[in-house]
Amino acid sequence: MTGSINRRMVLAGGAATIGALAMPSIARGAPRTFVIGTNGGTAYEGFYRGVLQHFEQRYNAKVVPVFGSGTELLNRVLAERAQPTLDCVTTYIGDWDVGKAEGVFEKVNYDKIERVDEIYDFMHDKDGYAPFINFGVWGIVYDGSMVSAPPKSFKELWDEQYARQIMIGGLNHHQIHLAAFAHAWTGDQHNIDAAFDKLKELAPRLAGYYGLNSDTQSKFQQGWASIASWYSHHAHRVRNSGIPLEFAFPEEGAWIYPQAYHAIKGTENVDLVEGLISTFFDPEIASAYAQTDGYIPGNPNAVIEGELRQFIPTIDQVMESNSWDFDFINANEGEWLNRWNAEITPLIKS
């Protein structure tokens, strides 16, 4: 998630064939190949079942996934700008600003996106690029079977009672932690020196770092830690696997984490990108996908019912959340990472 620009290996893989459920809306013929950069593992399994199988039938497409984190995939798009191999890529807050500035995304036609008039106005991109499709929030996640009195704020993570129980993001998430902890302790996410000072106090009491989301899930499963600064939607997915993770909104406020799927400059399949976005905005599909993956639907007509309502944050909670200043983060994170590796990592005892 995050807005970082790191250089790591992009994993590739193939999509499983799963029976389609939705009625087609265009004439049949040979399916068009649609290469999409997206997250892998259980995230993709839920994405295919919840969204992509309907998209394939409705738009007569065959999805070919390329797996990686949002940052890995953006790096791939930047490296391939002369000869792109992807039609579409998932992006998260911060990354899409880089992609737009670098000129590697294609604009979409909002008139061809179904139900776009039903979504929240703030989801529209003012420059005509893809709108947000859904949301998560970043805050405090804990294992309810192991933590009876969870921290109520980010500042409570420093409490001695939670020593050796907490994991935070390292290489891939250092920048959002610095900004969020600066905000928690000083009220200003730009006060990074204060965040480094506080992290030097916290680091010796941490269980350690988490890496990719699969790593976080594995460490929760192994009991390696019982508390993490993490995402609401990922916590929901892990909860579906049997681990009773809970998401808490810290007193200082959670942090909004929207997602988008952008068309790649040069693709001949912009209409399929518009079709994919339309599929996300179908209320029935959005409701079912929330059950599977925990994302907050972008269409307010998507109904969240029953027990799910206690686990999926509301749009009001999203709108009350903080937003990272990714212009500031993207301009400074390289320097911060060097400092993090020199000043924080050596203090981690695990």
Side-chain angles (χ1 to χ4, degrees):
M1 142 137 147
T2 70
S4 60
I5 304 300
N6 303 314
R7 296 296 190 264
R8 289 188 295 113
M9 219 175 135
V10 177
L11 306 177
T17 301
I18 303 177
L21 302 176
M23 291 297 291
S25 60
I26 61 175
R28 297 294 93 181
R32 293 161 60 191
T33 299
F34 185 63
V35 184
I36 180 171
T38 189
N39 304 141
T42 57
Y44 182 75
E45 293 171 6
F47 180 29
Y48 192 88
R49 289 195 306 269
V51 179
L52 288 180
Q53 63 175 338
H54 305 288
F55 161 75
E56 285 186 323
Q57 275 285 8
R58 289 182 176 185
Y59 296 94
N60 197 26
K62 176 60 181 175
V63 170
V64 176
V66 174
F67 297 136
S69 69
T71 297
E72 291 170 338
L73 293 166
L74 178 58
N75 286 332
R76 176 177 178 137
V77 171
L78 294 172
E80 295 180 345
R81 70 174 73 214
Q83 293 183 306
T85 61
L86 303 181
D87 294 304
C88 178
V89 69
T90 186
T91 57
Y92 299 94
I93 186 168
D95 282 343
W96 61 61
D97 290 332
V98 175
K100 286 168 59 176
E102 291 288 337
V104 294
F105 294 156
E106 195 77 68
K107 295 183 180 182
V108 296
N109 186 340
Y110 277 59
D111 290 338
K112 294 183 178 180
I113 298 175
E114 298 174 23
R115 302 182 180 86
V116 74
D117 58 332
E118 299 176 13
I119 68 174
Y120 302 101
D121 288 342
F122 70 89
M123 294 173 59
H124 293 225
D125 184 273
K126 62 182 177 60
D127 299 315
Y129 294 94
F132 303 154
I133 53 166
N134 52 32
F135 305 86
V137 286
W138 185 88
I140 297 171
V141 174
Y142 64 95
D143 186 332
S145 68
M146 300 177 67
V147 181
S148 58
K152 299 181 180 65
S153 69
F154 284 124
K155 289 192 286 189
E156 285 192 11
L157 297 177
W158 274 253
D159 194 303
E160 190 61 31
Q161 68 175 307
Y162 303 120
R164 311 298 294 172
Q165 298 183 55
I166 299 167
M167 57 179 165
I168 67 173
L171 173 67
N172 301 307
H173 304 86
H174 71 282
Q175 70 290 86
I176 63 172
H177 281 80
L178 285 167
F181 291 162
H183 175 267
W185 283 101
T186 72
D188 181 5
Q189 65 173 296
H190 305 93
N191 195 341
I192 299 302
D193 286 339
F196 270 107
D197 288 342
K198 297 305 296 185
L199 274 162
K200 290 174 186 176
E201 299 174 9
L202 181 64
R205 299 201 296 272
L206 292 173
Y209 292 149
Y210 60 78
L212 297 178
N213 293 315
S214 57
D215 180 55
T216 319
Q217 176 173 343
S218 176
K219 286 174 176 172
F220 271 123
Q221 289 172 328
Q222 296 167 18
W224 192 80
S226 56
I227 302 170
S229 44
W230 207 34
Y231 305 97
S232 60
H233 46 291
H234 294 317
H236 180 79
R237 191 183 308 132
V238 176
R239 185 187 307 112
N240 283 344
S241 74
I243 300 174
L245 294 190
E246 305 286 344
F247 182 83
F249 280 82
E251 292 175 353
E252 305 91 346
W255 293 77
I256 188 171
Y257 194 75
Q259 181 186 22
Y261 274 90
H262 279 284
I264 302 303
K265 178 74 75 174
T267 179
E268 297 180 357
N269 293 322
V270 173
D271 62 317
L272 290 182
V273 179
E274 294 159 350
L276 176 62
I277 297 170
S278 299
T279 306
F280 273 107
F281 292 159
D282 182 310
E284 292 186 7
I285 290 175
S287 298
Y289 189 45
Q291 175 70 57
T292 299
D293 230 46
Y295 280 108
I296 305 156
N299 189 333
N301 294 317
V303 179
I304 305 299
E305 296 182 320
E307 183 182 1
L308 186 61
R309 296 179 66 180
Q310 67 179 296
F311 298 123
I312 303 297
T314 66
I315 192 63
D316 289 338
Q317 289 173 313
V318 171
M319 295 307 295
E320 292 172 358
S321 296
N322 302 301
S323 295
W324 283 291
D325 180 352
F326 270 98
D327 288 340
F328 173 66
I329 288 174
N330 288 338
N332 293 282
E333 63 175 330
E335 176 187 344
W336 296 349
L337 181 57
N338 291 335
R339 187 175 172 186
W340 181 285
N341 289 335
E343 299 180 21
I344 306 302
T345 298
L347 300 176
I348 305 290
K349 294 182 177 180
S350 65

